[in-house]
Amino acid sequence: MSAPILDVKGLEAWYGPARALRGVDFEVEDGGVTAVLGANGAGKTTILRALSGLIRRSGDIRFRGRPIGALATEDVARLGVAHVPDGRGTFTDLTVEENLRLGAYVRSDRQGVREDFDRVFGFFPRLKERRRQQAGTLSGGEQQMLAIARALLMRPHLLMLDEPSFGLAPLVVAEIFRVLGEINRNEGVSLLIVEQNASLALDLADRAVLIETGRVALSGPSQAIRADDAVRRAYLGY
Amino acid sequence: MGEFLHQLASGVALGGVYAIMALALVMIYQATQLINFAQGEMAMFSTYFAWKLIDLGEPYWLAFFATVLVSFIGGVVIERLIVRPFANAPVLASVIVFIGLSLIFNALAGWLYGYSVQSFDSPFTGKPWFGAGYMSAHESGSIVVTLAVLALVYAFFRFTPLGLAMRAAAQNPVSSRLVGVRVGWMLAIGWGLAAAIGSIAGMMAAPIVYLDPNMMGGVLLYAFAGAVLGGIDNPFGAAVGGFAVGVLGNLIGAYLVGDEVKLSVALAIIIAVLVWRPSGLFGRRLVARV
Ligand SMILES: Nc1ncnc2c1ncn2[C@@H]1O[C@H](COP(=O)(O)OP(=O)(O)OP(=O)(O)O)[C@@H](O)[C@H]1O
Ligand SMILES: [Mg+2]
């Protein structure tokens, strides 16, 4: 088995003086999908923020073998880590197309960027129809698609998503997860998905990590976690 | 009629100066929600720099472009060294830094160049390009220059990746960093651009208001009035507001109240707008979905 694309050991993170993560370990396989599950306030969003360097963190974080725990957010992104934040992070005053162009901001391969525009418009045709529209006027589902499309224009090796299903209608959620699966299978983009909707995330993931008050309560292959009735009832609530 | 046209034309010419100065204020405001009170004195200091170069025998346009470049660099350096350390400080701390900066530039100019009023030659001489009869050559040239600045700034923000990244960084710093935009540098470049634009405002104003360390005090106030009138978070509105204040100020000064109290007109505009329409005429009409 090849080395994991993301290897996290002893991750701690703080909001001011308050410690929100207390030593979290997990991995994302190269080309794999890891789901981060847990109740409200467990620290899932905090994990992604810490990996992106948006908050103070410590611990050993390796991305493609390289320590990234001391890098600024911009530099983590430039290495190929795309982060779709909770709330979707839309540039509401800009057009849909400008939002997408920002995804490609650090790239210089114009031809490749053009192809990637076509690719994401293929995944989300609605974005193409609305490319000249102010992004703040999109529906919640469209903004989630836009956030994912913007992240894909970065040509990331690892795509981190914070509750991509949040607040969306089931049909839209299904469409988004179908695309995520396709990106993972066909293009080899590794995924780290934070979700409240555990069954949805476990279907896509090969590994899962259960977070409880800033610690890992349980982790392992997603099949095993899904199969364990006690775990399901205690942690996943379904 | 001739007198009216004359007042109108010089109002437009001055309005162009206010418009680009207002644009400089808006650029900083959009990124930081702060008004840079030192913008005027920075522009004044830049203008002295141009004057010195010309005094040393350099041709006008060489001095002009050298001043724009040096002002840009100066703006970047000021942001990095002086403004940046207060990025997370309370608003009042930033206001004090801005006031301190303006006092420093004022004192520095006085110390280096003296407090006596100097004349500053216009590069536009002879017949005006248009509006002959009621407009001076400098006024016609200044209108062209300020319109060119507005067009260039618009094109920069609208069509270049860097301009897009600067707009993005101003409105959503976190998302910008997540796509790799170096937000800190965007702010510094914003300061550089504002200083560069301000220097052009100073060089266009100087032949009209003459050069002395306090030359930009009035200009900044009118520019601020223009920005508030048009909408402090809207570059287009601020530019229109700048022109409007230039024209209104001149006409009201000439026909209603007299030149001595003209400046109070600017203050009256600011107060009236803040009371009746705080977002300005072109205030933000963002449609957001939550
Ligand atoms: N900006 C912040 N400042 C201070 N504390 C915070 C901040 N954001 C989160 N926290 C705290 O950190 C802990 C973890 O929060 P986090 O947002 O990571 O939870 P989560 O697992 O993403 O929850 P949810 O499912 O509700 O999104 C919580 O106790 C929360 O109160
Ligand atoms: Mg969360």
Side-chain angles (χ1 to χ4, degrees):
Chain A
M1 199 158 69
S2 63
I5 190 166
L6 182 71
D7 192 357
V8 179
K9 288 202 176 69
L11 181 63
E12 306 197 347
W14 290 263
Y15 290 106
R19 192 166 60 143
L21 296 181
R22 307 155 177 273
V24 170
D25 301 353
F26 69 92
E27 301 176 348
V28 180
E29 295 299 331
D30 197 355
V33 181
T34 296
V36 179
L37 310 174
N40 288 120
K44 306 181 296 296
T45 295
T46 304
I47 289 177
L48 298 195
R49 287 191 186 137
L51 293 175
S52 280
L54 288 170
I55 53 174
R56 188 158 70 87
R57 81 287 211 206
S58 74
D60 187 19
I61 311 172
R62 279 167 195 278
F63 175 65
R64 305 175 87 199
R66 178 180 168 168
I68 59 164
L71 295 186
T73 302
E74 298 85 306
D75 295 310
V76 174
R78 283 166 187 244
L79 282 179
V81 179
H83 180 166
V84 176
D86 63 340
R88 301 156 192 145
T90 310
F91 296 96
T92 50
D93 289 359
L94 304 182
T95 65
V96 167
E97 188 169 330
E98 285 172 332
N99 268 265
L100 295 175
R101 265 163 52 200
L102 281 164
Y105 172 68
V106 301
R107 292 173 60 180
S108 49
D109 56 323
R110 284 163 167 250
Q111 180 60 31
V113 171
R114 253 194 304 275
E115 284 165 16
D116 283 350
F117 261 88
D118 291 339
R119 198 165 57 97
V120 300
F121 284 148
F123 288 139
F124 304 117
R126 272 198 269 178
L127 295 181
K128 184 170 191 176
E129 290 163 26
R130 300 180 190 284
R131 62 204 283 179
R132 309 239 175 271
Q133 195 170 317
Q134 192 189 354
T137 65
L138 296 181
S139 73
E142 289 161 348
Q143 287 194 35
Q144 189 64 56
M145 294 174 193
L146 178 60
I148 293 171
R150 189 174 64 228
L152 288 178
L153 276 159
M154 297 168 71
R155 273 262 158 202
H157 299 288
L158 174 66
L159 177 57
M160 311 197 294
L161 304 120
D162 198 340
E163 303 211 30
S165 75
F166 188 79
L168 304 184
L171 270 178
V172 179
V173 173
E175 185 181 347
I176 285 173
F177 271 75
R178 179 182 55 72
V179 170
L180 291 177
E182 224 171 283
I183 293 161
N184 172 250
R185 275 189 313 276
N186 301 347
E187 304 178 15
V189 178
S190 310
L191 304 179
L192 179 61
I193 304 190
V194 166
E195 260 299 344
Q196 288 265 344
N197 187 334
S199 80
L200 197 64
L202 287 172
D203 281 345
L204 189 62
D206 49 73
R207 303 186 63 80
V209 193
L210 253 141
I211 305 296
E212 212 178 26
T213 56
R215 280 181 225 276
V216 175
L218 190 73
S219 70
S222 50
Q223 273 175 343
I225 288 186
R226 208 167 19 184
D228 188 327
D229 284 341
V231 166
R232 250 171 53 174
R233 270 194 297 277
Y235 295 106
L236 307 179
Y238 76 96
Chain B
M1 191 62 192
E3 169 63 12
F4 177 78
L5 281 180
H6 170 71
Q7 291 295 344
L8 190 67
S10 64
V12 172
L14 267 175
V17 171
Y18 304 155
I20 61 175
M21 203 66 198
L23 191 63
L25 291 176
V26 168
M27 276 170 56
I28 308 272
Y29 181 84
Q30 283 190 312
T32 59
Q33 279 72 54
L34 293 168
I35 297 291
N36 177 12
F37 298 109
Q39 201 76 63
E41 303 308 79
M42 286 165 60
M44 172 277 297
F45 199 78
S46 295
T47 309
Y48 265 108
F49 182 80
W51 174 78
K52 190 73 203 171
L53 287 182
I54 295 168
D55 196 45
L56 290 173
E58 301 299 339
Y60 180 90
W61 290 108
L62 179 73
F64 177 93
F65 287 109
T67 299
V68 172
L69 183 66
V70 167
S71 301
F72 177 84
I73 296 169
V76 170
V77 170
I78 289 172
E79 199 280 340
R80 290 263 112 175
L81 296 186
I82 300 172
V83 181
R84 172 58 44 89
F86 295 90
N88 297 316
V91 173
L92 195 57
S94 298
V95 170
I96 289 169
V97 170
F98 293 161
I99 292 174
L101 264 177
S102 80
L103 292 176
I104 288 169
F105 277 116
N106 193 286
L108 211 55
W111 178 63
L112 285 173
Y113 307 109
Y115 284 96
S116 57
V117 176
Q118 310 279 354
S119 68
F120 188 99
D121 287 339
S122 170
F124 310 106
T125 48
K127 274 169 64 77
W129 292 339
F130 48 85
Y134 48 90
M135 197 185 291
S136 71
H138 177 73
E139 284 169 341
S140 75
S142 176
I143 290 172
V144 170
V145 167
T146 52
L147 286 177
V149 168
L150 290 175
L152 278 176
V153 169
Y154 173 80
F156 170 75
F157 281 104
R158 180 76 177 69
F159 298 117
T160 70
L162 184 58
L164 175 62
M166 288 176 69
R167 283 190 287 150
Q171 59 174 262
N172 194 335
V174 170
S175 286
S176 300
R177 297 173 70 197
L178 289 177
V179 293
V181 173
R182 298 199 189 284
V183 170
W185 275 108
M186 297 301 119
L187 264 177
I189 294 171
W191 268 76
L193 282 179
I197 293 169
S199 77
I200 298 176
M203 288 184 280
M204 290 299 116
I208 303 172
V209 302
Y210 299 106
L211 183 59
D212 81 287
N214 300 313
M215 66 176 275
M216 292 303 275
V219 173
L220 186 71
L221 193 61
Y222 285 117
F224 183 51
V228 170
L229 177 65
I232 188 72
D233 56 9
N234 180 326
F236 169 78
V240 172
F243 276 106
V245 167
V247 171
L248 276 180
N250 247 24
L251 294 182
I252 293 174
Y255 294 110
L256 292 180
V257 296
D259 260 352
E260 307 75 40
V261 282
K262 223 171 97 175
L263 211 54
S264 343
V265 173
L267 276 173
I269 290 176
I270 294 176
I271 293 167
V273 174
L274 288 180
V275 169
W276 280 299
R277 203 181 150 86
S279 57
L281 296 179
F282 300 88
R284 194 172 169 78
R285 32 179 208 297
L286 165 76
V287 224
R289 210 135 157 179
V290 263

